[in-house]
Amino acid sequence: PQQGRRELLVSKEAYQKVLDHVKDQPFRDLLETIWETGCRPSEIFTVTAPYVDLSEGRWVFPIRLSKGKKVQRVVYLTDKALSITRRLLVKHPGGPLCRNQDGEPWKRAAINCRFLRLKAKLGVKYNLYSFRHTYVTNPLIRGLDGVTVSLLAGHRDTSMIARFYSHLDQRPGFLREAAKRAKGA
């Protein structure tokens, strides 16, 4: 069966609570990097030193590793994500940058277990896509245009953002204000 639409967003306060409960640096790095970049989980699992462009503050994936395999995927890094990337480059100059506490590449099942443990503490089960969807929704609310948000998320046009990522319907206060602005009020 097809997977349902991912609707769960992570508020800034919830994100901070998650970080307060994450004690090990590797999982924290993973969460902070996705929060900061909005990258796909598959991208954070496959980023290696050759794909890092420190001078431009980005990860550049070859077409063969990009979703859709038509254009090169570029993940732009915030200062925090760039700092994490630099630290991980020193620690893991070969192979995947993001690894678990044992120095092994992350497995989806291990991450799911981590989120299940967090659910026991926080009462909510997040996943990596919750962070990505939040990354896409928040700049739209702040007024960033859909084309730029699409490019940051790794989509060539705004249709994916509109159909699957912009959870603006979960923000009634934002939509009410938008309705007022639309009428010139």
Short mmCIF file of all heavy atoms in Angstrom, two decimals, residues 32 66 145 147:
data_model
loop_
_atom_site.label_atom_id
_atom_site.label_comp_id
_atom_site.label_asym_id
_atom_site.label_seq_id
_atom_site.Cartn_x
_atom_site.Cartn_y
_atom_site.Cartn_z
N GLU A 32 20.22 17.83 13.71
CA GLU A 32 20.51 19.25 13.48
C GLU A 32 20.77 19.55 12.01
O GLU A 32 20.34 20.58 11.50
CB GLU A 32 21.71 19.68 14.32
CG GLU A 32 21.40 19.76 15.79
CD GLU A 32 22.57 20.22 16.64
OE1 GLU A 32 23.73 19.91 16.30
OE2 GLU A 32 22.32 20.90 17.66
N SER A 66 21.36 11.75 -7.46
CA SER A 66 20.28 12.70 -7.21
C SER A 66 18.93 12.04 -7.47
O SER A 66 18.80 11.22 -8.38
CB SER A 66 20.43 13.92 -8.12
OG SER A 66 21.64 14.57 -7.84
N ASP A 145 9.59 32.98 -1.30
CA ASP A 145 8.83 32.54 -2.47
C ASP A 145 8.96 31.03 -2.70
O ASP A 145 9.96 30.42 -2.35
CB ASP A 145 9.26 33.31 -3.72
CG ASP A 145 10.69 32.99 -4.11
OD1 ASP A 145 11.62 33.54 -3.47
OD2 ASP A 145 10.89 32.18 -5.03
N VAL A 147 9.41 29.29 -5.40
CA VAL A 147 10.46 28.84 -6.32
C VAL A 147 11.76 28.62 -5.55
O VAL A 147 12.42 27.59 -5.69
CB VAL A 147 10.67 29.86 -7.47
CG1 VAL A 147 11.87 29.48 -8.32
CG2 VAL A 147 9.41 29.95 -8.33
#
